[in-house]
Amino acid sequence: MKTLVVCGATASGKTGFAVKMAEAVGGEVVSADCMLVYKGLNIGTAKPTKEEMRGVRHHMIDVAEPSQSYSVADYETGAESVLARLAECGKPAVICGGTGFYIQSLLFSRGLGGAPADENIRREYEEIAERDGKEALHNLLKMVDAESADKLHPNDVKRVIRALEIYRLTGKKKSEQSDGFIPKREYVAVAFDYPRDELYERIDRRVDEMLSAGLVDEVEGLYRSGIDEKCQCMQGIGYKEVLEYLKNKISYSTMSDVIKQNTRRYAKRQITFFKKLPHIVWLNPHADQKENILRWIQ
């Protein structure tokens, strides 16, 4: 039984089509979105509502507290367990999301070190970066994994810390891990190929809808509960910009514009990433391909 995948850029209609696909084959949806894993982050993540789920069971949503750090390895462990249970029951899995590394971890064996997130190690390196500077942190990586350090800019603190974390937890350099595409399972993957201008219009409209739905109140509530910019989830697009607004660093209109701009840039990176995914089928969102694809999959 092939694994089904609906991927691509944000605001491209993945969720609705994944639900239709699951309904067509009697399957369940496995989310592959790095923000949907967090409890309490609903509006800014476009988390599907019960109505949007239409009775189809969804997995890997609300599996982490907003105070937690959550890595690709954490996701892979949880999602693989779900996929194994679905396979035992004979239920098709529909992986749906735009976080490329999440999807990649389920379809291919990748060299991410197989190490879960370690809060204490990350905090230690974050403190080094704050106290001694990003260059000092980058120099630590050079000492243990020069090849990875050469590929990472000192400002890319998250990935520098992740490479150091992998070395600390496994004793292996991240650069020594195989980065080749080694298939783990058979799959059928589809994505919607919107014209860039139209996709950007969809993104702008979604941001306006999120703000109207109460995104600022959502972020303010999280902040008051102790979830601040040091938490991984608050680095997500929409959340970090609203937090800047709440701290009076930017105006409301600037906040809205920056969220839209950052989301458009993210969508461009997503498209670039998925264009490299082997065997993906790019669908014209305005053609009758959706129904044809559903019949073909059935």
Side-chain angles (χ1 to χ4, degrees):
M1 185 186 300
K2 286 184 172 65
T3 299
L4 308 176
V5 182
V6 182
C7 57
T10 186
S12 62
K14 297 185 297 294
T15 299
F17 190 63
V19 168
K20 286 185 178 180
M21 192 179 281
E23 289 175 329
V25 299
E28 298 180 4
V29 174
V30 180
S31 171
D33 187 297
C34 64
M35 294 300 289
L36 292 187
V37 299
Y38 291 109
K39 299 175 184 177
L41 279 71
N42 303 318
I43 298 173
T45 62
K47 191 171 290 180
T49 63
K50 287 186 178 180
E51 291 75 20
E52 290 170 328
M53 291 180 183
R54 293 167 51 159
V56 173
R57 190 174 181 186
H58 284 57
H59 302 271
M60 299 308 294
I61 294 176
D62 292 339
V63 295
E65 297 296 333
S67 57
Q68 288 181 258
S69 290
Y70 199 83
S71 70
V72 175
D74 294 327
Y75 172 79
E76 183 180 2
T77 298
E80 285 289 1
S81 177
V82 171
L83 292 173
R85 291 199 304 271
L86 291 177
E88 287 177 7
C89 299
K91 276 185 169 288
V94 181
I95 299 170
C96 174
T99 302
F101 287 121
Y102 277 18
I103 292 174
Q104 200 174 68
S105 75
L106 300 182
L107 302 183
F108 305 95
S109 297
R110 300 287 290 175
L112 293 176
D118 188 300
E119 293 281 349
N120 293 326
I121 290 176
R122 289 188 176 184
R123 193 174 299 114
E124 176 186 332
Y125 287 127
E126 285 167 359
E127 289 173 357
I128 290 173
E130 290 177 6
R131 185 184 66 243
D132 303 328
K134 298 173 184 176
E135 288 285 352
L137 183 72
H138 193 256
N139 286 335
L140 289 179
L141 182 58
K142 277 185 182 179
M143 292 171 62
V144 298
D145 187 355
E147 189 173 342
S148 290
D150 287 342
K151 294 179 180 179
L152 296 173
H153 192 280
N155 289 338
D156 197 354
V157 173
K158 282 187 179 180
R159 288 195 175 111
V160 171
I161 288 177
R162 179 57 183 159
L164 285 164
E165 181 183 34
I166 288 171
Y167 184 78
R168 282 275 293 273
L169 292 173
T170 68
K172 299 177 182 179
K173 300 176 183 178
K174 186 179 183 304
S175 59
E176 292 176 345
Q177 306 295 325
S178 171
D179 280 336
F181 286 104
I182 306 170
K184 292 169 68 172
R185 49 176 51 89
E186 289 187 288
Y187 67 90
V188 174
V190 299
F192 294 116
D193 193 13
Y194 276 95
R196 194 63 56 91
D197 290 346
E198 185 176 351
L199 178 62
Y200 287 175
E201 287 176 6
R202 290 173 64 91
I203 287 170
D204 291 352
R205 188 162 57 248
R206 172 180 277 189
V207 172
D208 289 336
E209 290 169 354
M210 287 177 173
L211 291 171
S212 296
L215 177 58
V216 173
D217 291 338
E218 178 173 278
V219 177
E220 186 173 20
L222 289 165
Y223 185 58
R224 286 180 175 176
S225 70
I227 307 303
D228 59 19
E229 63 273 12
K230 293 180 182 178
C231 297
Q232 182 177 319
C233 71
M234 277 296 189
Q235 295 304 311
I237 297 172
Y239 290 88
K240 59 184 177 182
E241 294 88 354
V242 172
L243 200 54
E244 292 265 297
Y245 163 70
L246 291 172
K247 292 186 172 185
N248 297 315
K249 293 183 178 180
I250 55 176
S251 67
Y252 186 92
S253 61
T254 298
M255 172 195 70
S256 175
D257 290 343
V258 173
I259 293 174
K260 292 173 182 177
Q261 182 183 60
N262 288 342
T263 307
R264 291 194 294 265
R265 288 174 176 169
Y266 176 56
K268 187 176 180 181
R269 294 197 299 272
Q270 287 176 301
I271 292 168
T272 299
F273 186 99
F274 287 117
K275 286 287 186 183
K276 298 177 183 178
L277 187 69
H279 313 305
I280 190 169
V281 179
W282 289 90
L283 305 177
N284 180 343
H286 304 300
D288 294 329
Q289 284 181 300
K290 292 182 182 180
E291 295 305 320
N292 291 337
I293 285 288
L294 290 176
R295 284 195 292 271
W296 172 60
I297 287 171
Q298 284 177 306

